[in-house]
């Protein structure tokens, strides 16, 4: 085994390690716990009305709502999925089965990791088909792209979250490979074109694309990419390939009609749950700052603040532009057209609505997942080109400066630095329990303080997602006293006094992320002593208090 193969193997093994490293201990985001809650068969409102009663409940009982161990039928889970029409049910249905099989919330992340690992051979297969007519070995391009995805901090982060993005990526690649395979069938041979085998790639495309639509609504942009590619490749002529594509696409549309019906019947709810992404307002310059920052985080991500002053962002943008230019100059149109469409269609689908009507879709890298896959294919090609050797440069019309050994060596050094940057970024992610977890990282500060008291009592009226996120970090014996403020009747304010009586007299307890009304009550309630808040407690959104009991005790 030569040194190059050993390096590839080592990088792949690192990518596998990075995905599994401390995956069970990392913070569960509010989006993850919502998904786990639906998989258990409960909606958010049902959960709050059931457990936010002011009665004590142990963390062990709360965790039942995160492991699908509550005896609720599959029909309840399907109803909960339909109650969130913005999330098609495929991943969450598979999540439910994995939770029931392993009886641990970590199984939901193992599922995401499995799809992320399957993405690697799927990408290699796509490269074998897409770059079959390229002037560089498709195997070299395939391995370069696979390595980039394996060690990418972006893909490592996606793999460590119990969400649908890894299956979306996998099905985007698989459906693309089936489509390209179907289009490559030699139509000049009439007997072959009429054989059943010519329909097998179209069948594979139809199935994988349908599953893709059931993984994420934004998979629509993958299908738009495919449609544009087919129409442009066939020069808008009503060819046999175009007809088969239209027939297959019609089948995909029919197969997705059940979820279309769900979306139509819950369009008001869809508008409410996605309002946060469509109402954000920012200047065009502010958005451009995010776009520049996000362009390179598929390869290098040191969790820097979004800023125009970060030189790495410009270097990464230059690397992407150069790779795309090389792809355009040295591959047939059917190759570069597909990759460029993959990069641009989904990006424009996020950027244009944000610019025209406001929103933050284009600021969130995960929504441009398909664009990152296209970028990785382009950079994978350029990396393979850099290490191909002299044959490529002799057989192509490269400018004289690019024929120089020094220039080729510079490209190789740049490729090595890119790999080292990805390795460093992913290594930092493996060492952090809260990287990329947003506001959910508050639990990292609160959990150690709560776990010092055994068993602790937590008094809170915070959003149920933050309660569930904290529940993954604390001991099973911890007790919660949860007061419903989210779905309470405005005419009936929360009864904090009745809930307080559930705490034994003389007992210390924690107050977590309390609302203003709760704080006002605690500060004025008789029998309550609130300890001075340390800086550590303040950063954890915690107060420590003692309940001496009421005058009747």
């Amino acid at each position: 085994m030569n040194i190059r193969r050993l390096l590839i193997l080592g990088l792949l093994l690192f990518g596998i390690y990075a995905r599994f490293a401390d995956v069970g201990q990392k913070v569960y985001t509010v989006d993850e716990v919502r998904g786990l809650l639906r998989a258990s068969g409960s909606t958010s409102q049902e959960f709050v009305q059931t457990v936010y009663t002011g009665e004590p409940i142990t963390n062990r009982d709360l965790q039942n709502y995160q492991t699908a161990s509550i005896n609720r039928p599959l029909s309840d889970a399907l109803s909960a999925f339909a109650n969130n029409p913005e999330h098609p049910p495929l991943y969450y249905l598979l999540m439910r089965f994995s939770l029931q099989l392993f009886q641990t919330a970590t199984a939901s992340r193992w599922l995401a990791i499995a799809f992320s690992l399957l993405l690697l051979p799927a990408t290699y297969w796509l490269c074998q088909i897409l770059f079959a007519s390229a002037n560089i070995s498709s195997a070299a391009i395939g391995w370069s792209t696979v390595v980039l995805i394996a060690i990418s901090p972006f893909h490592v982060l996606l793999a460590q979250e119990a969400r649908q993005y890894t299956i979306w990526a996998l099905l985007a690649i698989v459906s693309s490979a089936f489509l390209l395979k179907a289009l490559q069938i030699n139509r000049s041979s009439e007997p072959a074109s009429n054989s059943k085998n010519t329909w097998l790639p179209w069948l594979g495309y139809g199935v994988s694309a349908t599953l893709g639509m059931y993984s994420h609504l934004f998979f629509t942009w993958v299908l738009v990419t495919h449609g544009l590619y087919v129409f442009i490749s066939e020069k808008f002529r009503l060819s046999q390939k175009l007809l088969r594509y239209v027939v297959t696409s019609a089948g995909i549309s029919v197969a997705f009609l059940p979820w279309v019906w769900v979306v139509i019947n819950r369009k008001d709810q869809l508008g409410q749950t996605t309002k946060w992404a469509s109402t954000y307002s920012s200047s065009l310059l502010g958005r451009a700052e995010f776009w520049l920052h996000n362009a390179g985080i598929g390869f290098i991500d040191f969790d820097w603040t979004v800023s125009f002053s970060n030189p790495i962002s410009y270097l990464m943008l230059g690397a992407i532009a150069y790779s795309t230019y090389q792809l355009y100059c040295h591959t047939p149109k059917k190759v570069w057209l597909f990759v460029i469409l993959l990069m641009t269609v989904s990006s424009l689908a996020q950027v244009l609505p944000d610019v025209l009507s406001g929103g933050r879709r284009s600021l969130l890298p995960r929504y441009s997942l398909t664009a990152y896959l296209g970028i990785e294919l382009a950079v994978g090609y350029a990396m393979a080109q850099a290490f191909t050797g002299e044959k490529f440069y002799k057989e192509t019309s490269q400018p004289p400066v690019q024929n120089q050994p020094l220039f080729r060596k510079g490209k190789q050094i740049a490729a090595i630095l890119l790999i080292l940057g990805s390795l460093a970024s992913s290594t930092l992610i493996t060492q952090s329990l809260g990287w990329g977890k947003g506001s959910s990282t508050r639990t990292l500060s609160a959990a150690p303080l709560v776990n010092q008291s055994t068993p602790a009592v937590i008094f809170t009226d915070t959003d149920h997602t933050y309660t569930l996120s904290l529940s993954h970090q604390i001991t099973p014996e911890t007790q919660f006293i949860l007061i419903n403020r989210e779905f309470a009747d405005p005419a009936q304010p929360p009864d904090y006094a009745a809930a307080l009586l559930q705490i034994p007299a003389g007992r210390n307890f924690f107050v977590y992320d309390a609302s203003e009304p709760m704080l006002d009550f605690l500060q004025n309630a008789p029998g309550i002593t609130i300890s001075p808040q340390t800086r550590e407690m303040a950063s954890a959104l915690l107060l420590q208090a003692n309940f001496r009991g009421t005058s009747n005790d």
Side-chain angles (χ1 to χ4, degrees):
M1 185 178 290
N2 61 33
I3 187 66
R4 188 171 295 183
R5 291 181 179 177
L6 283 174
L7 286 173
I8 291 173
L9 177 61
L11 292 171
L12 292 177
L13 290 175
F14 173 83
I16 296 171
Y17 158 76
R19 284 159 172 75
F20 280 102
D22 291 328
V23 68
Q25 284 71 50
K26 292 182 182 286
V27 171
Y28 282 79
T29 66
V30 294
D31 290 316
E32 286 183 282
V33 298
R34 285 192 192 101
L36 287 164
L37 186 60
R38 294 194 294 272
S40 76
S42 297
T43 65
S44 292
Q45 187 167 356
E46 289 171 346
F47 170 76
V48 171
Q49 290 174 344
T50 302
V51 304
Y52 272 63
T53 61
E55 299 286 335
I57 182 171
T58 65
N59 188 39
R60 181 178 287 106
D61 291 333
L62 276 187
Q63 279 293 296
N64 287 334
Y65 291 89
Q66 298 286 279
T67 58
S69 58
I70 289 180
N71 188 23
R72 303 196 68 166
L74 177 61
S75 59
D76 284 355
L78 294 175
S79 177
F81 298 153
N83 206 45
N84 288 85
E86 73 278 14
H87 293 298
L90 177 60
Y91 182 84
Y92 297 99
L93 187 60
L94 296 173
M95 177 196 290
R96 177 180 172 87
F97 296 146
S98 66
L99 291 172
Q100 290 177 325
L101 179 62
F102 296 103
Q103 290 295 305
T104 172
T106 311
S108 62
R109 288 176 168 173
W110 294 340
L111 183 65
I113 292 172
F115 290 128
S116 183
L117 294 178
L118 288 172
L119 176 63
L120 302 180
T123 300
Y124 185 84
W125 177 42
L126 173 64
C127 289
Q128 292 294 292
I129 300 170
L130 176 62
F131 294 103
S133 58
N135 52 3
I136 302 176
S137 163
S138 60
I141 302 171
W143 284 119
S144 296
T145 309
V146 166
V147 163
L148 288 173
I149 293 175
I151 63 175
S152 162
F154 176 68
H155 287 282
V156 169
L157 284 172
L158 291 182
Q160 293 185 334
E161 283 203 1
R163 305 193 70 195
Q164 67 270 52
Y165 295 102
T166 56
I167 192 174
W168 172 10
L170 172 63
L171 291 170
I173 292 295
V174 170
S175 61
S176 296
F178 273 121
L179 177 66
L180 294 175
K181 189 70 175 176
L183 293 174
Q184 285 180 3
I185 294 176
N186 188 354
R187 59 180 177 172
S188 64
S189 174
E190 193 63 31
S193 65
N194 291 328
S195 69
K196 292 183 179 180
N197 289 338
T198 60
W199 275 102
L200 289 178
W202 289 110
L203 178 62
Y205 174 66
V207 172
S208 57
T210 300
L211 292 175
M213 286 301 299
Y214 277 100
S215 68
H216 201 288
L217 292 180
F218 283 172
F219 198 89
T220 301
W221 306 119
V222 178
L223 300 188
V224 171
T225 298
H226 292 164
L228 288 173
Y229 180 75
V230 174
F231 276 91
I232 295 172
S233 298
E234 295 301 301
K235 300 177 181 178
F236 298 93
R237 292 180 291 103
L238 197 60
S239 63
Q240 185 185 67
K241 293 179 183 178
L242 183 57
L243 284 173
R244 289 184 174 182
Y245 168 76
V246 171
V247 169
T248 306
S249 296
I252 295 168
S253 301
V254 170
F256 193 60
L257 282 178
W259 199 254
V260 172
W261 181 85
V262 170
V263 170
I264 292 173
N265 280 274
R266 290 170 173 81
K267 60 182 179 181
D268 292 337
Q269 187 167 348
L270 178 66
Q272 288 181 342
T273 53
T274 59
K275 186 178 179 180
W276 67 273
S278 58
T279 56
Y280 179 78
S281 139
S282 175
S283 67
L284 184 60
L285 195 63
R287 294 180 187 280
E289 198 170 35
F290 269 94
W291 299 336
L292 175 65
H293 171 82
N294 291 346
I297 63 172
F299 304 106
I300 298 177
D301 182 6
F302 292 129
D303 205 20
W304 282 316
T305 304
V306 175
S307 172
F308 279 125
S309 61
N310 183 359
I312 298 296
S313 297
Y314 296 97
L315 291 173
M316 294 310 306
L317 185 62
I320 294 168
Y322 176 81
S323 299
T324 306
Y325 175 74
Q326 289 297 305
L327 183 78
Y328 173 78
C329 289
H330 301 294
T331 61
K333 179 181 178 180
K334 64 181 180 180
V335 175
W336 61 257
L337 177 64
F338 183 83
V339 177
I340 290 176
L341 285 174
L342 204 61
M343 293 166 58
T344 55
V345 170
S346 64
S347 297
L348 291 175
Q350 314 305 326
V351 168
L352 291 179
D354 281 3
V355 171
L356 296 176
S357 59
R360 68 182 83 201
R361 290 155 291 221
S362 64
L363 310 184
L364 302 172
R366 63 182 183 269
Y367 287 165
S368 297
L369 172 59
T370 309
Y372 283 101
L373 294 173
I375 289 170
E376 285 152 353
L377 287 169
V379 176
Y381 171 83
M383 186 175 291
Q385 184 191 88
F387 290 99
T388 296
E390 296 186 5
K391 181 180 179 181
F392 166 78
Y393 297 95
K394 289 179 179 178
E395 294 180 354
T396 59
S397 55
Q398 288 278 359
V401 66
Q402 296 196 36
N403 282 316
Q404 298 299 320
L406 185 61
F407 186 86
R408 299 202 301 272
K409 190 63 68 177
K411 290 174 62 175
Q412 293 172 357
I413 292 172
I416 292 170
L417 290 175
L418 182 66
I419 290 174
L420 291 176
S422 293
L423 285 172
S425 301
S426 294
T427 299
L428 290 174
I429 290 171
T430 65
Q431 297 172 354
S432 170
L433 298 181
W435 192 293
K437 303 298 185 181
S439 60
S440 305
T441 53
R442 63 176 67 177
T443 62
L444 288 178
S445 302
L449 297 171
V450 171
N451 289 335
Q452 289 175 7
S453 302
T454 305
V457 176
I458 299 176
F459 192 75
T460 184
D461 62 352
T462 191
D463 186 287
H464 71 285
T465 57
Y466 290 118
T467 298
L468 287 171
S469 179
L470 178 63
S471 73
H472 287 276
Q473 303 288 326
I474 58 179
T475 60
E477 295 78 19
T478 300
Q479 286 193 329
F480 284 91
I481 296 177
L482 304 169
I483 298 95
N484 180 10
R485 187 170 53 87
E486 286 181 79
F487 300 101
D489 185 348
Q492 292 183 321
D495 191 349
Y496 296 115
L500 186 64
L501 293 177
Q502 302 299 319
I503 300 175
R507 180 67 185 271
N508 291 330
F509 64 96
F510 290 101
V511 181
Y512 178 60
D513 192 20
S515 65
E516 287 296 330
M518 175 179 272
L519 286 175
D520 289 342
F521 166 77
L522 292 173
Q523 289 168 352
N524 296 293
I528 293 290
T529 302
I530 299 177
S531 303
Q533 190 179 41
T534 64
R535 182 178 299 178
E536 189 179 17
M537 295 280 283
S539 67
L541 303 179
L542 283 174
L543 287 170
Q544 193 162 25
N546 177 272
F547 180 51
R548 300 189 302 275
T550 65
S551 57
N552 295 327
D553 289 343

